[in-house]
Amino acid sequence: MEEYKKVLIELDDLMRNIGKHFIPDLEILNEFHLTKRQVAILFLILKKPETTISEIAQYFEISKSAVSQSMTKLEEEDIIIREINHDNRREMNLILGQNGQRIQHELFKLEQKMMTIYLTKLPIEDLHHVRDTLKKLDEIIMKEKKDK
């Protein structure tokens, strides 16, 4: 069990270190002084456009009220715009505002940089192995949570 703990700590440290290398490339986020939750919500919306507050609440396992509170700052900064869901008028879709589009563009540039400069230096099989291992871990966690 101790070896698992050691590996988990090493993985966490590595992911944080890798992330730190790219923080300067996303300086645009500093303009808005967002909380970690607001950034996490923004990144989810960037990955899944036209998501709803209910879907975000479910994803992060938080209340819709907590999501709405975080959304206020994102709206004030024209990062996110609430739009009525035409399929369910009681729901609001969240789309990118002008600043959200700017952030999306910077994130796209960063992803391109990561792929062309860094990831292509690894054999694709290694990347597949990391992906498959993380997928297995996610499945184990979901199964264990479901069984409880």
Side-chain angles (χ1 to χ4, degrees):
M1 194 64 103
E2 192 60 36
E3 190 170 348
Y4 283 97
K5 182 178 178 180
K6 181 181 174 191
V7 170
L8 180 64
I9 290 168
E10 288 175 7
L11 284 169
D12 184 54
D13 289 344
L14 286 167
M15 292 306 293
R16 288 177 194 275
N17 286 338
I18 289 169
K20 281 187 221 174
H21 295 301
F22 298 106
I23 289 171
D25 293 324
L26 283 177
E27 281 184 32
I28 189 169
L29 290 176
N30 295 334
E31 289 179 32
F32 306 108
H33 307 288
L34 303 176
T35 65
K36 289 180 183 180
R37 178 179 281 177
Q38 289 164 339
V39 171
I41 289 172
L42 171 60
F43 279 22
L44 180 61
I45 294 167
L46 289 169
K47 293 260 183 238
K48 189 177 182 279
E50 294 191 14
T51 192
T52 65
I53 289 176
S54 296
E55 291 168 335
I56 293 169
Q58 184 177 11
Y59 181 84
F60 288 110
E61 297 179 351
I62 59 177
S63 69
K64 288 192 242 180
S65 173
V67 174
S68 287
Q69 289 172 3
S70 293
M71 293 302 304
T72 301
K73 171 77 170 173
L74 296 173
E75 287 181 283
E76 288 171 359
E77 296 288 352
D78 194 29
I79 295 171
I80 299 298
I81 299 170
R82 292 185 205 216
E83 184 179 81
I84 294 174
N85 181 337
H86 300 293
D87 296 330
N88 178 356
R89 298 192 59 79
R90 291 181 289 170
E91 280 279 355
M92 300 294 275
N93 287 333
L94 307 171
I95 60 173
L96 297 177
Q98 190 165 352
N99 286 327
Q101 291 173 16
R102 286 179 48 222
I103 293 168
Q104 182 181 44
H105 179 73
E106 291 301 313
L107 188 59
F108 176 77
K109 287 185 348 189
L110 176 59
E111 287 172 348
Q112 293 301 309
K113 178 180 180 179
M114 287 177 68
M115 283 188 283
T116 57
I117 296 175
Y118 307 112
L119 290 177
T120 55
K121 293 190 168 122
L122 291 170
I124 192 68
E125 296 81 20
D126 288 357
L127 294 173
H128 286 297
H129 183 70
V130 170
R131 180 205 58 206
D132 294 345
T133 302
L134 290 173
K135 193 183 287 186
K136 283 180 193 175
L137 178 59
D138 185 49
E139 289 168 0
I140 290 167
I141 293 168
M142 287 188 329
K143 183 183 182 317
E144 289 294 320
K145 283 189 165 214
K146 184 179 178 184
D147 290 346
K148 284 189 176 180

